[in-house]
Amino acid sequence: MTCHIYYAGHTHSSEPEVSTAEIPQEKATQSETTRLLCKIDKELIEVARRDAKSVLRDRGYDGISTYSFDKILNEMKTLCLTVFSILSQMIQFDNSQEKKKAAAMSLIYGIIMFLRCKEMSLVQRVNTVLLTEGDASTELVDRLHKYSFCLSRSMKYTIQEEIGNHFLDRAVELLKQGKTFVFVLDNIDWEVKVHDMRSDNQNTSVHAVATSIVFDRVTCTHLPDDGPKKTLSECNLIDLLTLTEEEIQCTRDRYKIFIRRVLCELFPSFDFLKEILPAHTPCQFPEEMSYQSVVVPLPVLMKDEKKMQIWLLS
């Protein structure tokens, strides 16, 4: 015998009921989100315009050498306040004193603008220089380039060439001012090893020359250049190395200054010494020596240093 059981009452659907009051609220939220996205897009479009003169467009040597998180954050606060407010709220960024979060804000903003406009590549160029200086692997650079963190591998040569041209322009300016310089050579040697060494396939030693010019801070054009005063065989090394009492005391005073600088830099307890520390050690030419030497790097020459020196002397 079959038994049939019947349940009285209404049947309930598995789908939840949606209140009609929630639909207008959902539409209002979508409308507000759309307005916010439109506002963000409008701000970023204005920043990408060339007449906006964004700091991200200053991608030459001057922009790279003066790269600052504060400049980028100030631009965000001025030109795209909505974007700045949203990003700062997401990572809980309060002020520019938080260096790590300031770097994150600048990186995110730089990637966003680079994806919108390839000319705004200051952040990517700085990262490319840092990766090149840190000898990053090819795989790492390629992977980071996919996420617009840096530029492609080949672009590092373009950046190096632009930096080199900047220094050459600086050298021309100094030459017009009558500055003199010395030519510096430094050898670079490395060995290229073969995987399968044979009599006709041996390891090779490669020689190159790194060249640069260093401008003189103190001119020496007034000194005689008609020949040496003495030959090397006639020089007495004792006379050259012997110091007078005045020179010994001056050397001691300079060592004291150097030791104080190290103490103030490494030990905060010695900060009170900073007020009495001289900015520069006393010397015969204090004004000239207060500036750094201008070093202009030149291209690496695939030449042997010994043969290069012979060629220069000839």
Side-chain angles (χ1 to χ4, degrees):
M1 181 178 65
T2 305
C3 179
H4 298 277
I5 302 175
Y6 298 93
Y7 292 92
H10 300 284
T11 57
H12 297 279
S13 174
S14 59
E15 296 182 359
E17 295 183 1
V18 179
S19 174
T20 56
E22 295 179 358
I23 297 178
Q25 183 178 359
E26 183 178 353
K27 291 184 177 180
T29 303
Q30 292 178 354
S31 177
E32 183 66 26
T33 303
T34 303
R35 285 196 296 268
L36 180 61
L37 293 176
C38 291
K39 185 176 182 180
I40 292 174
D41 184 61
K42 183 178 180 180
E43 289 182 352
L44 296 179
I45 290 176
E46 291 298 323
V47 175
R49 294 173 60 90
R50 290 182 176 177
D51 54 5
K53 297 181 179 179
S54 171
V55 294
L56 299 180
R57 288 186 179 275
D58 190 9
R59 56 191 188 274
Y61 173 81
D62 294 333
I64 294 176
S65 60
T66 60
Y67 180 83
S68 172
F69 298 140
D70 293 335
K71 290 183 179 180
I72 298 179
L73 294 178
N74 289 334
E75 176 177 302
M76 295 179 66
K77 295 177 184 177
T78 305
L79 301 180
C80 46
L81 182 59
T82 307
V83 178
F84 175 80
S85 301
I86 294 175
L87 291 179
S88 59
Q89 183 67 28
M90 293 175 65
I91 65 174
Q92 296 181 344
F93 176 74
D94 295 330
N95 53 68
S96 58
Q97 300 300 322
E98 299 178 274
K99 296 299 182 182
K100 291 184 178 180
K101 292 185 178 181
M105 287 275 291
S106 302
L107 177 61
I108 295 172
Y109 176 68
I111 292 177
I112 292 174
M113 297 311 302
F114 178 72
L115 292 173
R116 284 175 164 260
C117 179
K118 299 301 181 182
E119 294 181 0
M120 306 177 72
S121 59
L122 174 61
V123 174
Q124 285 70 25
R125 286 174 176 256
V126 171
N127 291 336
T128 302
V129 172
L130 294 177
L131 291 171
T132 303
E133 183 68 19
D135 197 18
S137 63
T138 302
E139 293 78 9
L140 177 60
V141 175
D142 290 340
R143 183 174 298 179
L144 294 177
H145 172 60
K146 291 180 180 179
Y147 302 104
S148 300
F149 181 86
C150 62
L151 300 179
S152 60
R153 284 178 293 159
S154 59
M155 280 299 297
K156 71 178 182 180
Y157 301 108
T158 303
I159 298 175
Q160 291 173 348
E161 184 177 356
E162 292 176 356
I163 295 175
N165 291 334
H166 165 80
F167 281 107
L168 289 177
D169 294 339
R170 176 62 175 159
V172 172
E173 294 177 2
L174 294 175
L175 287 174
K176 291 180 179 180
Q177 298 174 10
K179 300 289 185 179
T180 58
F181 65 88
V182 294
F183 197 67
V184 181
L185 301 177
D186 190 11
N187 64 310
I188 307 175
D189 303 317
W190 69 92
E191 187 178 11
V192 179
K193 297 183 178 181
V194 296
H195 180 69
D196 185 13
M197 185 180 295
R198 300 187 300 271
S199 59
D200 58 343
N201 188 25
Q202 298 286 326
N203 297 337
T204 57
S205 180
V206 184
H207 304 279
V209 179
T211 59
S212 62
I213 56 178
V214 181
F215 282 87
D216 301 322
R217 288 181 289 180
V218 179
T219 180
C220 57
T221 54
H222 62 284
L223 298 176
D225 193 22
D226 53 355
K229 293 182 179 181
K230 287 185 179 181
T231 61
L232 187 60
S233 59
E234 297 175 351
C235 293
N236 189 351
L237 296 180
I238 298 179
D239 296 336
L240 296 176
L241 299 177
T242 302
L243 300 178
T244 63
E245 290 296 329
E246 182 181 358
E247 291 173 336
I248 293 175
Q249 185 60 39
C250 181
T251 303
R252 288 176 178 173
D253 294 338
R254 291 182 178 179
Y255 279 138
K256 292 178 182 178
I257 295 175
F258 295 148
I259 292 174
R260 290 173 184 173
R261 288 179 180 176
V262 173
L263 291 176
C264 293
E265 182 179 353
L266 299 180
F267 301 97
S269 301
F270 292 95
D271 286 345
F272 66 94
L273 293 176
K274 291 183 178 180
E275 299 179 357
I276 60 176
L277 272 177
H280 303 282
T281 56
C283 61
Q284 186 178 358
F285 304 95
E287 183 178 355
E288 292 83 353
M289 299 302 291
S290 62
Y291 299 97
Q292 291 184 347
S293 298
V294 177
V295 181
V296 180
L298 298 177
V300 175
L301 304 177
M302 301 304 295
K303 303 290 184 180
D304 194 341
E305 183 189 35
K306 297 179 181 178
K307 297 179 181 179
M308 192 71 178
Q309 287 178 342
I310 296 174
W311 175 77
L312 289 173
L313 293 175
S314 61

